[in-house]
Amino acid sequence: MRTSIATVSLSGSLTEKLTAAARAGFDGVEIFENDLLTAPLTPEEIRARCADLGLTVDLYQPLRDIEAVPAEVFARNLRRARHTFEVTRRLGGDTVLVCSSVDPAAVDDDALAAAQLGELADLAADFGCRVAYEALAWGRHVSTYDHAWRIVEAAGRPALGTCLDSFHILSRGSDPRGIEDIPGEKIFFLQLADAPLPAMDVLQWSRHHRCFPGQGGFDVAGLVRHVLRTGYAGPLSLEVFNDVFRQAEAGPTAVDARRSLLTLQEEVTLRDEGMLRDEGMLRDERLPHEEATPGAESTPREEVTLQEAAGVAGPPAAAVPTGFAFAEVVTPDAEPLAGLLRALGFARTARHRGKPVDLWQQGEARILVNTGAAVRRDGTRLAAVGLESPDPAGAARRAEALLAPVLPRRRAPGDAPLDAVAAPDGTELFFCGTRPGGWRADFEDTGHAFASTDVRHIDHLALTQPWHHFDEAVLFHRAVLGLRAEDSVDVADPYGLRRSRAVSNADGTVRIALTVGAAPTDDTVHAQHIALATDDVVAAARRFRDAGGRLLPIPANYYDDLAARFEFADGELEAYRELGILYDRDEHGALRHCYTRTVGRVFFELLQRDPGHRGYGARNAPVRLAAQHAAQTHAGV
Amino acid sequence: MRTSIATVSLSGSLTEKLTAAARAGFDGVEIFENDLLTAPLTPEEIRARCADLGLTVDLYQPLRDIEAVPAEVFARNLRRARHTFEVTRRLGGDTVLVCSSVDPAAVDDDALAAAQLGELADLAADFGCRVAYEALAWGRHVSTYDHAWRIVEAAGRPALGTCLDSFHILSRGSDPRGIEDIPGEKIFFLQLADAPLPAMDVLQWSRHHRCFPGQGGFDVAGLVRHVLRTGYAGPLSLEVFNDVFRQAEAGPTAVDARRSLLTLQEEVTLRDEGMLRDEGMLRDERLPHEEATPGAESTPREEVTLQEAAGVAGPPAAAVPTGFAFAEVVTPDAEPLAGLLRALGFARTARHRGKPVDLWQQGEARILVNTGAAVRRDGTRLAAVGLESPDPAGAARRAEALLAPVLPRRRAPGDAPLDAVAAPDGTELFFCGTRPGGWRADFEDTGHAFASTDVRHIDHLALTQPWHHFDEAVLFHRAVLGLRAEDSVDVADPYGLRRSRAVSNADGTVRIALTVGAAPTDDTVHAQHIALATDDVVAAARRFRDAGGRLLPIPANYYDDLAARFEFADGELEAYRELGILYDRDEHGALRHCYTRTVGRVFFELLQRDPGHRGYGARNAPVRLAAQHAAQTHAGV
């Protein structure tokens, strides 16, 4: 019996995976779409590589969210599928996996599903391909293998069969004996996986995955309010079983824990009674300073009681930052960075009066380049962030009350006062006033003007976090700075999953993406980047390239796929392809972005964001990460 | 409001945890039993340390499985509780947590629970203590906070109150508003934790926790049989989404994957039809060679069909090893090891005719000490295992067919042939014949006799595995060697959880405990040990000590606790305490064991096992690990 393995089961670049599969004696592979998109090889080159290695391409996957949709949506889906069938043929394969839809727009109509899958299979047949339809265990309307088979049978097309996956069948507890009712020639593919049982019961959840209040999804503050109303006078005690905290250094974990309780107490005493109407297990994701002032429903007497019960005055209210004053990069050698900034259109507009710090500026984007000797051993890194604050002193007092280490003011007698604290990853956060005469007064103008105005401001910063302290970092930025946290997303790096979570203020003028690597040993854990906002990423990227800048090259497969997914204006996609610009779109608009090469631990992103788009290009991150790994491998950096 | 933290929430030794909690500004701590048992300080010393740090002891926990049990069980439970109350007072605390019972012997009888908890509270009051009764979310009969409170209320004792835990309440989706119906003075304690939501749905399970067939709990072979019966002729393809595999080196993962499929094909073709009667989601944990020969129910015709369909003749059947021929330690300096072995009663009974390898023996326990120059850079480590095999050549052929690297025969022309393969962790496995004239003939007797006969044979070997390849190691030992795998257990090390899984043959003459550290960076990952079976661990330990050997010191708190848990003969516990012998007992008998100091990466265990006891002392492992960390810290090793 022939054996095959999906590329997603192995670590590394596509060619590393193919080599490993062949060496272990597999006959073929399933090629996962992401592995193709991130590969620098064309489909024909991948086909040739497989042939050299004695591997067949047994499956290309997946096509998602195809069936049981309105006609105009299905027309778009067929267009996307056409590209997939083309790629499959170019790869030398003939079977494409189609997963049952999870699209909320899909309807529960087996006849429609069968008709559209039939049409899809006819298109596949035109390419000499066939479609293997698989029920995902969490499919919206089709989630069992027998249901998927009934639809396939109803469609009655030679090029349409079913794909069976042991995970999807056995994880639901379906009876596998019914498989024998399917004719073998209509089972186009068989995917095998095992899984630990039980994957997660409440005992496992309790013993391994608890976290400190504010780091998870429970409404702990709501529960505490109920307890305090009983007159309970004992301590608030944290009992947290967490596999990561068991490994992390005790000191920072204990500080994180106390900050969690201080924030919880603030939430308990300040929280608007009106918010408590719909209490249940799900917490409201907002912290107190993100909420409206307590409204009319709140009874002042009780507030006092709870405040007394909680026994704290609470930290000063959050002074939510309103923008980035600057990002500060420290480096032992300013030249590589200066070259990069110059090519990006920045000018060295000012120099600190007393320290070896240059201010590079373009529009409202300000980068400080610090060559102070004390920091040379750490290489080039993003060391500090200046946050514009409506109340710098108050922000610093809040940070101190919430146990952020307050940094000594590094200033000469004539310098403007600057309040600063250290974030959990060691990044220095400076609270800067928004009025003139602040930190900027310590810098003397050079008289140089910026070469371009392509860059408007800093869109966001991406800061990688120490492995054991990701939840701590998110809580810190929410509690200390008063930023909102968005959902956590998993990002596939070729060498392991990363977790990323963005924090931002309400109008998006401060955005920080917090990211953690795959494991403590992940040596890319310290790569940071500065994303620069532009109104025209194509112009900005072109100017950068024309000025001698090198953009991160993106594989052609990515653009072939984009063409099948989205409609573009004439020449638009060609420009993206030429420059290595990544693209994404949601219902709120588009995001276009590209990357410079990395200097030390720092690189830059040029980013054009449609006003409503709030994302960070998570869908493109695997492509960027694979391209960065490839660039490092080839450059030997 | 006072703040407190459970010691289990932080990493490290008890004193590290206390220091971290105090520095972060906590007012008090909950002391977790395990942290006390593993601490070298007396309860009074812990109390003093807390006082010095400005911490109060707010809770001591937990007492488990106390209530709603038959009278004679309850009498034993009270005896255990008495010790807990004593410890609590010695710690300077007054509140003890009692978790709702998970004991299968507990009955669903609230009146009985209330009566027994009342009696427990009366005993607590005698010690100036009070009992906080908490509903575990997975409690056998009491799993909700309101149920626990009804029982407390019914008991009506001043020293009995309830403990509320946000995890147990919110993880079940209980409505926390009902808390307000409890009088505050009867809420003795409040424990807070948050947790991510949803902890694990089928999507998360699918995307992060799949594994290769044979590594999880699904009956993948059963499913494949059904598919093959349809006439399916496509490939068997592995599609496994696994966070660890995404990070692990692709080469070994691919080999592991192929071995999984080869084993699966063997299982599919050989599996007794009779075994398939009760098919469902739960796999039978046995691999084919562990099973009876296919019985009368099996239809030969179909077997042939399946075999043809699977298209493999399959590897040679497993020749399950029948014992340990030897364990081989390589070392750059034989002296420390020789000293240890001499003190254990071993004698250097023979020397290899052509290599710098000594045979140390006592009873049937044989340790080879290899000072060959080629291995010096790796320090002292357990490098090879000799397995007695009924068919060494067949065992090697099976291993090779299942992709184990076959090792070149390292022998001089006159040496006996020895077949060897490498396990995934690099350990060399030699298949040794059981008849005379084998490997032993290469050794020349020294004429020394062993100094004692305390040690009978090797009871088990404990081999730590590379972090990314734990599942691979278990599958390797099951598939290649034909050993049975026991359940995976989590073991609390002070610096993170470890996972351990034992493999053994049917009569327990070959046992190997496979263990993986907390994280890839775990620097203790390579500690290995050799457990030596004795009929009288007290005599063996005493002889070792009298011969100048140093046993791992075990904290007094551990023995105080043992005294409360078990009944001992006169002087028995005192001997254990004196020598550092750990003790455990289950329905099949007792286990008594103690440890030597570590040389390089190797240490020894002396172990006395009652015939029916199949365990490895998992309950004692946290005590041993903490003691080893403490010994390293103090010795600076």
Side-chain angles (χ1 to χ4, degrees):
Chain A
M1 190 142 206
R2 300 184 64 260
T3 60
S4 190
I5 187 166
T7 53
V8 77
S9 313
L10 299 171
S11 179
S13 68
L14 178 60
T15 46
E16 284 176 301
K17 294 174 186 208
L18 296 176
T19 305
R23 286 207 182 134
F26 281 94
D27 303 302
V29 288
E30 299 177 29
I31 292 185
F32 214 71
E33 183 184 61
N34 237 13
D35 282 309
L36 181 103
L37 299 193
T38 60
L41 305 180
T42 64
E44 288 78 8
E45 287 166 337
I46 295 169
R47 174 187 192 156
R49 180 71 64 102
C50 287
D52 283 351
L53 291 166
L55 294 170
T56 52
V57 175
D58 294 331
L59 190 77
Y60 181 55
Q61 72 133 317
L63 265 176
R64 293 186 193 277
D65 298 333
I66 291 288
E67 79 284 12
V69 287
E72 70 281 6
V73 177
F74 184 65
R76 282 204 303 274
N77 292 353
L78 274 188
R79 185 163 159 273
R80 183 154 56 91
R82 176 182 293 272
H83 171 68
T84 301
F85 297 139
E86 276 170 5
V87 168
T88 305
R89 291 310 295 167
R90 293 172 65 196
L91 286 169
D94 65 4
T95 307
V96 171
L97 178 76
V98 174
C99 303
S100 64
S101 181
V102 298
D103 188 348
V107 292
D108 188 8
D109 181 342
D110 284 3
L112 181 61
Q116 292 183 338
L117 286 171
E119 209 174 320
L120 180 78
D122 292 343
L123 178 65
D126 293 345
F127 288 88
C129 286
R130 53 188 206 157
V131 167
Y133 181 58
E134 171 186 73
L136 294 181
W138 55 91
R140 189 163 172 82
H141 302 296
V142 178
S143 58
T144 59
Y145 76 89
D146 50 317
H147 191 179
W149 162 239
R150 285 198 305 275
I151 292 172
V152 166
E153 194 174 25
R157 296 302 210 291
L160 181 66
T162 190
C163 172
L164 299 178
D165 182 313
S166 64
F167 181 86
H168 292 298
I169 296 169
L170 298 175
S171 66
R172 291 186 55 98
S174 295
D175 184 343
R177 281 175 295 196
I179 291 171
E180 300 190 23
D181 300 333
I182 308 174
E185 71 274 12
K186 294 303 277 183
I187 302 174
F188 283 4
F189 211 71
L190 172 61
Q191 296 179 310
L192 300 177
D194 201 345
L197 281 178
M200 183 65 66
D201 58 11
V202 71
L203 182 66
Q204 294 292 311
W205 189 18
S206 171
R207 295 225 171 131
H208 301 284
H209 300 282
R210 298 190 189 200
C211 55
F212 296 125
Q215 297 179 343
F218 286 167
D219 181 10
V220 181
L223 182 140
V224 170
R225 287 179 78 95
H226 293 304
V227 175
L228 294 185
R229 287 203 190 101
T230 69
Y232 172 73
L236 298 179
S237 187
L238 295 167
E239 188 197 29
V240 170
F241 299 80
N242 181 295
D243 288 359
V244 173
F245 297 166
R246 279 179 186 273
Q247 297 171 45
E249 218 185 313
T253 307
V255 169
D256 182 32
R258 265 268 292 166
R259 181 178 301 127
S260 151
L261 274 192
L262 290 168
T263 312
L264 179 77
Q265 285 171 278
E266 181 185 33
E267 194 175 354
V268 166
T269 51
L270 295 184
R271 198 172 183 200
D272 183 358
E273 278 294 290
M275 302 299 303
L276 296 175
R277 276 178 312 222
D278 308 315
E279 271 175 16
M281 198 168 68
L282 273 161
R283 84 179 281 111
D284 186 282
E285 268 289 336
R286 289 180 291 183
L287 286 173
H289 41 265
E290 298 165 14
E291 292 170 4
T293 349
E297 283 176 70
S298 157
T299 56
R301 195 185 55 77
E302 185 177 39
E303 286 307 320
V304 172
T305 307
L306 284 177
Q307 219 159 39
E308 283 174 354
V312 282
V320 181
T322 54
F324 289 113
F326 59 81
E328 179 173 346
V329 179
V330 297
T331 179
D333 175 9
E335 251 336 284
L337 204 59
L340 206 50
L341 287 167
R342 219 175 273 119
L344 283 164
F346 281 76
R348 193 168 64 84
T349 55
R351 186 166 177 83
H352 196 279
R353 294 176 195 277
K355 296 176 201 161
V357 180
D358 288 332
L359 167 61
W360 290 78
Q361 189 163 355
Q362 182 179 185
E364 293 298 313
R366 286 169 290 268
I367 314 286
L368 302 186
V369 177
N370 184 340
T371 50
V375 294
R376 290 197 180 191
R377 68 180 184 284
D378 293 331
T380 300
R381 65 196 176 89
L382 181 49
V385 177
L387 295 166
E388 290 178 354
S389 171
D391 176 10
R397 278 198 307 276
R398 177 178 177 83
E400 187 172 10
L402 291 175
L403 310 179
V406 174
L407 299 172
R409 292 183 172 177
R410 304 175 309 179
R411 62 185 189 101
D415 290 357
L418 260 187
D419 294 291
V421 298
D425 64 353
T427 302
E428 300 181 358
L429 301 177
F430 289 88
F431 299 111
C432 307
T434 49
R435 284 167 309 188
W439 66 274
R440 186 60 180 76
D442 298 338
F443 285 77
E444 188 166 19
D445 288 347
T446 59
H448 299 149
F450 5 118
S452 107
T453 52
D454 286 337
V455 168
R456 299 295 187 164
H457 54 85
I458 294 173
D459 180 86
H460 68 271
L461 301 175
L463 303 176
T464 44
Q465 301 299 308
W467 196 74
H468 288 131
H469 294 283
F470 184 69
D471 287 332
E472 176 185 358
V474 175
L475 179 62
F476 177 92
H477 286 86
R478 290 175 67 201
V480 172
L481 303 183
L483 300 175
R484 296 160 189 260
E486 290 166 39
D487 285 344
S488 181
V489 293
D490 287 325
V491 172
D493 179 282
Y495 298 93
L497 286 184
R498 290 153 179 265
R499 231 174 112 201
S500 184
R501 199 164 176 193
V503 292
S504 63
N505 63 5
D507 59 4
T509 53
V510 172
R511 301 177 199 258
I512 301 174
L514 304 165
T515 303
V516 70
T521 50
D522 188 344
D523 55 6
T524 58
V525 78
H526 291 297
Q528 319 262 23
H529 81 263
I530 301 170
L532 302 166
T534 171
D535 294 340
D536 185 346
V537 72
V538 171
R542 211 158 253 158
R543 181 188 302 268
F544 175 69
R545 199 189 50 181
D546 293 348
R550 275 193 292 149
L551 288 159
L552 184 71
I554 301 298
N557 297 337
Y558 172 80
Y559 295 99
D560 296 344
D561 183 67
L562 269 194
R565 281 181 191 275
F566 302 107
E567 306 269 1
F568 292 99
D570 275 358
E572 186 182 357
L573 185 62
E574 289 64 33
Y576 299 162
R577 190 190 289 268
E578 171 199 343
L579 294 161
I581 292 170
L582 302 165
Y583 182 89
D584 199 12
R585 192 194 292 165
D586 63 16
E587 65 274 29
H588 305 297
L591 184 76
R592 302 161 177 90
H593 53 140
C594 60
Y595 295 90
T596 71
R597 68 195 163 89
T598 302
V599 175
R601 293 173 178 170
V602 179
F603 62 94
F604 293 88
E605 178 177 2
L606 286 167
L607 178 148
Q608 179 184 350
R609 180 190 288 284
D610 282 357
H613 191 100
R614 290 183 63 89
Y616 297 79
R619 209 184 73 82
N620 294 325
V623 179
R624 188 255 299 170
L625 288 162
Q628 287 179 322
H629 279 291
Q632 278 181 357
T633 306
H634 298 138
V637 173
Chain B
M1 193 141 205
R2 300 184 63 257
T3 60
S4 190
I5 187 166
T7 52
V8 76
S9 313
L10 299 171
S11 180
S13 68
L14 178 60
T15 47
E16 283 176 302
K17 294 174 185 207
L18 296 176
T19 305
R23 286 208 182 132
F26 281 94
D27 303 303
V29 288
E30 299 176 30
I31 293 185
F32 215 70
E33 184 184 60
N34 236 13
D35 282 310
L36 181 102
L37 299 193
T38 60
L41 305 181
T42 64
E44 288 77 8
E45 287 167 337
I46 295 169
R47 174 189 192 156
R49 181 69 66 103
C50 287
D52 283 351
L53 292 166
L55 294 170
T56 52
V57 174
D58 293 331
L59 190 78
Y60 181 57
Q61 70 135 314
L63 266 176
R64 295 186 192 277
D65 298 333
I66 290 288
E67 80 282 14
V69 287
E72 69 283 7
V73 177
F74 184 65
R76 281 204 302 275
N77 293 353
L78 275 188
R79 185 163 158 273
R80 184 154 54 90
R82 175 183 294 273
H83 171 66
T84 302
F85 298 138
E86 276 169 2
V87 169
T88 306
R89 291 309 296 168
R90 293 171 67 195
L91 286 168
D94 65 4
T95 308
V96 171
L97 179 76
V98 174
C99 304
S100 64
S101 180
V102 299
D103 187 349
V107 293
D108 188 7
D109 180 342
D110 285 3
L112 181 61
Q116 292 183 338
L117 287 171
E119 208 174 323
L120 180 78
D122 292 342
L123 178 64
D126 293 345
F127 287 88
C129 286
R130 53 189 206 156
V131 166
Y133 181 59
E134 172 187 72
L136 293 181
W138 55 89
R140 189 162 172 82
H141 302 295
V142 178
S143 57
T144 59
Y145 76 89
D146 49 319
H147 191 179
W149 161 239
R150 284 198 306 275
I151 291 172
V152 166
E153 195 175 24
R157 296 300 211 291
L160 182 65
T162 190
C163 173
L164 299 177
D165 181 314
S166 63
F167 181 86
H168 292 297
I169 296 168
L170 298 174
S171 66
R172 291 187 56 99
S174 295
D175 184 342
R177 282 176 295 196
I179 291 171
E180 300 191 22
D181 300 333
I182 307 174
E185 71 274 11
K186 295 303 277 184
I187 302 175
F188 283 3
F189 212 71
L190 172 61
Q191 296 180 309
L192 300 176
D194 200 348
L197 284 177
M200 183 68 64
D201 58 11
V202 71
L203 182 67
Q204 293 293 311
W205 189 18
S206 170
R207 294 222 172 133
H208 301 284
H209 301 281
R210 297 191 191 199
C211 54
F212 296 125
Q215 296 179 345
F218 287 166
D219 181 11
V220 181
L223 183 140
V224 170
R225 287 178 79 95
H226 293 302
V227 175
L228 295 185
R229 288 202 190 102
T230 69
Y232 171 75
L236 297 179
S237 186
L238 294 167
E239 187 197 28
V240 170
F241 298 81
N242 181 296
D243 289 358
V244 173
F245 297 167
R246 279 180 186 272
Q247 298 171 46
E249 219 185 314
T253 307
V255 169
D256 182 32
R258 264 268 291 166
R259 181 178 301 129
S260 151
L261 274 192
L262 289 168
T263 311
L264 179 77
Q265 284 170 278
E266 181 184 36
E267 194 176 355
V268 166
T269 51
L270 295 185
R271 200 171 181 199
D272 182 359
E273 280 293 292
M275 301 300 302
L276 297 174
R277 277 177 313 219
D278 308 313
E279 269 176 19
M281 198 166 70
L282 273 163
R283 84 182 280 109
D284 185 281
E285 269 292 332
R286 288 179 291 183
L287 287 172
H289 43 265
E290 299 163 14
E291 290 171 6
T293 347
E297 283 177 70
S298 157
T299 58
R301 196 186 54 78
E302 184 178 41
E303 286 308 318
V304 171
T305 307
L306 285 177
Q307 216 158 43
E308 281 174 357
V312 282
V320 181
T322 53
F324 290 112
F326 58 80
E328 179 174 347
V329 179
V330 299
T331 179
D333 176 9
E335 251 336 285
L337 204 61
L340 205 50
L341 287 167
R342 221 172 275 123
L344 282 164
F346 281 77
R348 194 167 66 83
T349 55
R351 186 166 177 85
H352 196 278
R353 294 177 196 279
K355 296 176 202 161
V357 180
D358 288 331
L359 168 61
W360 290 77
Q361 188 163 355
Q362 182 180 184
E364 294 299 312
R366 285 168 290 267
I367 314 287
L368 302 185
V369 177
N370 185 338
T371 51
V375 295
R376 293 199 180 190
R377 68 180 185 285
D378 294 330
T380 300
R381 64 197 177 88
L382 181 49
V385 177
L387 294 166
E388 289 178 355
S389 172
D391 176 9
R397 279 198 308 277
R398 177 177 178 83
E400 186 170 14
L402 292 175
L403 309 179
V406 174
L407 299 173
R409 291 184 173 176
R410 305 175 309 180
R411 64 187 189 98
D415 289 357
L418 260 186
D419 293 292
V421 298
D425 65 353
T427 301
E428 300 182 359
L429 302 177
F430 288 87
F431 300 109
C432 308
T434 48
R435 284 168 307 190
W439 65 275
R440 185 59 179 79
D442 298 338
F443 285 77
E444 187 165 20
D445 287 346
T446 59
H448 299 151
F450 4 120
S452 108
T453 53
D454 287 335
V455 168
R456 300 294 186 164
H457 54 85
I458 294 174
D459 179 87
H460 67 272
L461 301 174
L463 303 176
T464 45
Q465 300 300 308
W467 196 75
H468 288 131
H469 294 281
F470 184 69
D471 287 333
E472 176 185 359
V474 175
L475 179 62
F476 177 93
H477 286 87
R478 289 175 67 199
V480 173
L481 302 183
L483 300 176
R484 295 159 188 258
E486 290 167 40
D487 285 343
S488 180
V489 291
D490 287 326
V491 173
D493 179 282
Y495 299 93
L497 285 184
R498 291 153 178 265
R499 234 174 111 202
S500 184
R501 200 164 176 192
V503 292
S504 63
N505 64 3
D507 59 4
T509 53
V510 172
R511 303 177 198 257
I512 301 174
L514 304 164
T515 302
V516 70
T521 51
D522 188 342
D523 55 4
T524 58
V525 77
H526 291 297
Q528 319 260 23
H529 82 262
I530 300 170
L532 302 167
T534 172
D535 294 340
D536 185 346
V537 72
V538 171
R542 210 160 254 158
R543 181 187 301 269
F544 174 67
R545 200 189 51 181
D546 293 348
R550 275 191 293 147
L551 289 159
L552 183 72
I554 300 298
N557 296 337
Y558 171 80
Y559 295 100
D560 296 344
D561 183 67
L562 270 194
R565 283 183 190 276
F566 301 107
E567 305 268 1
F568 292 99
D570 276 357
E572 186 182 359
L573 185 61
E574 289 63 34
Y576 299 163
R577 190 190 289 266
E578 172 200 340
L579 294 161
I581 292 170
L582 301 165
Y583 183 90
D584 199 13
R585 191 194 294 164
D586 64 15
E587 65 274 29
H588 304 298
L591 185 75
R592 303 161 178 88
H593 53 140
C594 59
Y595 296 90
T596 70
R597 70 198 162 89
T598 303
V599 174
R601 293 172 177 171
V602 179
F603 62 95
F604 293 89
E605 177 178 1
L606 286 166
L607 178 147
Q608 179 184 347
R609 180 191 290 282
D610 280 357
H613 192 102
R614 290 183 63 88
Y616 297 79
R619 208 185 73 83
N620 294 326
V623 178
R624 189 255 298 172
L625 288 162
Q628 288 178 322
H629 280 291
Q632 278 180 356
T633 306
H634 298 139
V637 172

